[in-house]
Amino acid sequence: MAKEIEFKNFKKSFGQKAVHEDISFSVEKGECLGLLGGSGAGKSVILKSLIGLMKPDSGSIFLEGQDITLLNEDEMVEIRKQVAYVFQNGALFDSMTVFDNLAYPLREHTTLTESEIEKRVHDLLNEFNLATDDLLYPGELSGGMQKRVGMARSIILGPEVVLYDEPTAGLDPFNIRRIQEMILAMKAKGVTSIFVTHDMPSAFACCDRIALLRKGRIVHVESVEKLKQNDTGMINDFVNGMTA
Amino acid sequence: MTLTYRFISLIGGSSLLFKETVRQIFRGKYEWNATFYQIYAVGVASFPVVMVTTMSIGMVMALQFGIGLAKFGGSLYIPKIVSLSVIKEFGPVFASIMVAARVGSGMTSEIGSMVVTEQVNAIQALGTSPIKKIVVPRVVGLFIALPVLCVAANILGVLGGFIVGVHDLGLDPMFYYQKIFETLKVSDYLSGFGKTFFFALMISVFACYYGLNVKVGTKEVGYATTKSVVTSCIAIMIGDYFLTKLFWLFEVWI
């Protein structure tokens, strides 16, 4: 299968602290890669670098064969229309209602009329079980609802790649299950994704492969099928809390 | 981090932000609604505080000059001194300082909070420019609203002096009125009014710069807000000297 995303010798430091020393991995088209690692390992840095919110110190990031580290801010806009980022806490615009949050990308990047936007937003709100919450402000929503609205806003343009930054963190089992279902639905549409999480049941449910990030490197990549069969090795040690 | 380094960072960073802001004004669909909201938030909502401040300044000046000049028989100069001082200096400067304190601080804390809650990242991640969405409406809004506030501040400052001159110092109302218009020239008015465009840019660009440069937690939002207000006030004071000189040279040249 073709590689949709590829990191090559990616390095990133913050001041004196080297977060990523040499990251190399790839994600195939339509695949969901789980990214595990201890807190502060730099998992979000990888995702943010993929949409140009952060620049690497060196190395390359390829998206469908194009090195996005060479693109300027204007060129990155086109990339960001194809790559959706689901923020850990939703990152909803608190001055806008749920409806306006979802309508935002459509108003910015499409020529749809207001009635078409309204239909598209309400259809998506129905899919996410948020049909009656369109006029609420983010401050009036629960954590789980904010994450679902954030996810809906991210995917409303129909992206080819979705980056999930701990979408199930801090949620109850019911909401975790809903998020899992949404991730699986995106996967069924052929969307490529990277799923940063500490939630192993969700990673096992949604991912094809799982990569372990430790000390600034990807130290192990394994398919979920093999991980389920074999309960030894680095990733299972991490999952079982034996190593950080 | 040394003071020199921070100063150079501030000048360099805010200059780049200003350049990008001007570039974004002319790119794509303009944010009219956000700009009108900012004009309201800055202009209409700041009107009471600017009104009280400049009117008080006019009243206090008339009183102080009235008491001081009475000893030398110079009470008749009060209308000239007060109106000229208010129109050329105190109206524009005090209106700008009050706006820097009230609006500049609000802008920095709002933008800083948006950074902390990743809303600024979200704007960028959704393929739009945070400068266009956040900075442009604020800079343009203040650029329009502050000069309008200055007009009101000038009128109220002169009115404050008039009330005290007539009521407390016993000057004839008609005399006071005539002296204001005899003294003030259009160039006097324009030199004070013209400064507010520069002050508006200073306040809004510094406020947005400090807001966007918040890196972590809400504690830093507080620091950024303080720095924004202090920097804007100092810039207004220092800038006032150079702008006064510039407008004076301009008047001489004309």
Side-chain angles (χ1 to χ4, degrees):
Chain A
M1 285 176 87
K3 286 175 187 170
E4 178 119 19
I5 301 166
E6 187 175 18
F7 279 68
K8 266 189 182 170
N9 310 115
F10 173 86
K11 291 179 186 172
K12 180 73 184 173
S13 302
F14 292 99
Q16 299 294 312
K17 192 186 174 196
V19 177
H20 295 308
E21 292 181 353
D22 189 2
I23 298 283
S24 295
F25 70 94
S26 62
V27 187
E28 290 170 358
K29 205 167 178 61
E31 185 187 26
C32 179
L33 178 80
L35 192 55
L36 301 186
S39 296
K43 303 180 293 295
S44 298
V45 172
I46 289 178
L47 299 191
K48 284 178 180 166
S49 301
L50 190 47
I51 53 163
L53 295 180
M54 287 182 179
K55 293 280 179 197
D57 298 335
S58 66
S60 305
I61 305 167
F62 293 95
L63 187 72
E64 288 187 330
Q66 184 181 25
D67 187 354
I68 62 159
T69 60
L70 304 175
L71 303 181
N72 62 30
E73 194 56 27
D74 292 339
E75 290 165 331
M76 277 308 295
V77 169
E78 289 309 310
I79 299 294
R80 288 174 188 142
K81 288 181 198 170
Q82 300 165 33
V83 182
Y85 191 115
V86 179
F87 287 89
Q88 195 172 345
N89 296 312
L92 301 176
F93 305 132
D94 51 18
S95 59
M96 295 182 191
T97 61
V98 167
F99 178 88
D100 287 330
N101 264 281
L102 263 70
Y104 180 89
L106 298 173
R107 287 177 179 148
E108 291 296 326
H109 299 302
T110 68
T111 51
L112 296 177
T113 62
E114 270 305 305
S115 58
E116 289 168 330
I117 288 173
E118 201 172 314
K119 187 181 179 311
R120 179 88 71 93
V121 169
H122 281 124
D123 286 349
L124 199 59
L125 284 172
N126 275 331
E127 266 183 55
F128 280 74
N129 285 320
L130 292 160
T132 55
D133 305 310
D134 57 339
L135 296 177
L136 297 180
Y137 282 88
E140 298 170 304
L141 303 175
S142 69
M145 287 162 86
Q146 286 189 17
K147 289 196 181 201
R148 278 185 283 144
V149 175
M151 190 182 278
R153 184 182 65 181
S154 302
I155 64 166
I156 200 160
L157 287 175
E160 291 164 27
V161 176
V162 182
L163 311 173
Y164 301 100
D165 194 353
E166 301 199 33
T168 57
L171 297 184
D172 59 86
F174 179 72
N175 273 308
I176 288 175
R177 193 183 166 85
R178 281 181 158 181
I179 298 274
Q180 285 175 8
E181 285 166 3
M182 290 164 198
I183 294 171
L184 289 170
M186 291 302 289
K187 201 175 149 190
K189 289 178 188 168
V191 170
T192 308
S193 50
I194 298 180
F195 183 13
V196 163
T197 187
H198 288 131
D199 168 21
M200 289 319 298
S202 294
F204 279 170
C206 302
C207 299
D208 300 302
R209 287 186 302 151
I210 291 181
L212 180 63
L213 182 63
R214 187 186 285 167
K215 293 178 182 171
R217 290 168 198 275
I218 297 286
V219 290
H220 197 77
V221 184
E222 187 80 89
S223 73
V224 168
E225 288 307 312
K226 281 188 183 171
L227 279 170
K228 282 179 182 170
Q229 288 162 10
N230 184 6
D231 62 356
T232 59
M234 277 187 183
I235 292 179
N236 280 306
D237 285 351
F238 177 82
V239 171
N240 297 323
M242 305 302 285
T243 56
Chain B
M1 217 185 290
T2 64
L3 195 64
T4 316
Y5 176 81
R6 278 188 292 174
F7 179 72
I8 293 168
S9 300
L10 170 69
I11 299 301
S14 48
S15 302
L16 288 173
L17 179 62
F18 178 65
K19 184 186 145 203
E20 183 61 20
T21 304
V22 173
R23 195 174 80 97
Q24 290 292 342
I25 288 173
F26 302 103
R27 298 199 63 188
K29 203 165 56 178
Y30 187 77
E31 298 289 324
W32 286 110
N33 287 344
T35 304
F36 287 133
Y37 174 76
Q38 288 300 325
I39 291 171
Y40 170 78
V42 174
V44 180
S46 300
F47 186 76
V49 70
V50 170
M51 185 183 73
V52 170
T53 307
T54 50
M55 198 160 180
S56 304
I57 293 289
M59 291 170 83
V60 169
M61 278 180 67
L63 203 56
Q64 289 283 18
F65 282 120
I67 295 165
L69 292 173
K71 293 172 189 170
F72 311 103
S75 299
L76 301 179
Y77 292 102
I78 292 166
K80 279 188 175 187
I81 296 170
V82 173
S83 56
L84 207 57
S85 309
V86 167
I87 295 288
K88 290 191 86 159
E89 282 302 321
F90 294 112
V93 169
F94 275 90
S96 301
I97 286 176
M98 292 314 292
V99 167
R102 188 190 170 277
V103 178
S105 59
M107 279 184 190
T108 306
S109 58
E110 188 185 2
I111 297 171
S113 302
M114 288 178 78
V115 172
V116 172
T117 54
E118 293 204 281
Q119 290 178 59
V120 173
N121 271 345
I123 292 174
Q124 215 171 343
L126 290 166
T128 47
S129 162
I131 309 278
K132 187 165 187 71
K133 292 284 165 192
I134 299 173
V135 181
V136 169
R138 284 166 176 78
V139 171
V140 175
L142 194 55
F143 192 77
I144 294 168
L146 187 57
V148 177
L149 275 176
C150 170
V151 173
N154 286 342
I155 293 168
L156 289 161
V158 173
L159 182 67
F162 179 85
I163 292 168
V164 170
V166 172
H167 188 262
D168 293 350
L169 305 173
L171 295 172
D172 178 57
M174 233 17 237
F175 167 77
Y176 201 111
Y177 181 79
Q178 279 173 350
K179 281 293 168 190
I180 291 171
F181 286 96
E182 273 176 26
T183 310
L184 295 177
K185 291 179 284 180
V186 175
S187 59
D188 295 327
Y189 185 79
L190 290 179
S191 72
F193 178 74
K195 287 174 190 172
T196 53
F197 292 101
F198 293 91
F199 294 155
L201 292 179
M202 287 174 188
I203 296 166
S204 55
V205 173
F206 287 140
C208 294
Y209 170 79
Y210 279 115
L212 288 171
N213 275 284
V214 168
K215 296 279 185 290
V216 286
T218 45
K219 196 177 172 185
E220 208 187 328
V221 175
Y223 290 141
T225 305
T226 307
K227 281 193 262 182
S228 160
V229 174
V230 171
T231 306
S232 295
C233 290
I234 291 172
I236 288 167
M237 291 300 188
I238 296 172
D240 186 39
Y241 168 75
F242 290 104
L243 289 168
T244 303
K245 205 163 182 177
L246 184 76
F247 282 111
W248 178 70
L249 287 171
F250 193 62
E251 274 177 50
V252 171
W253 180 65
I254 281 176

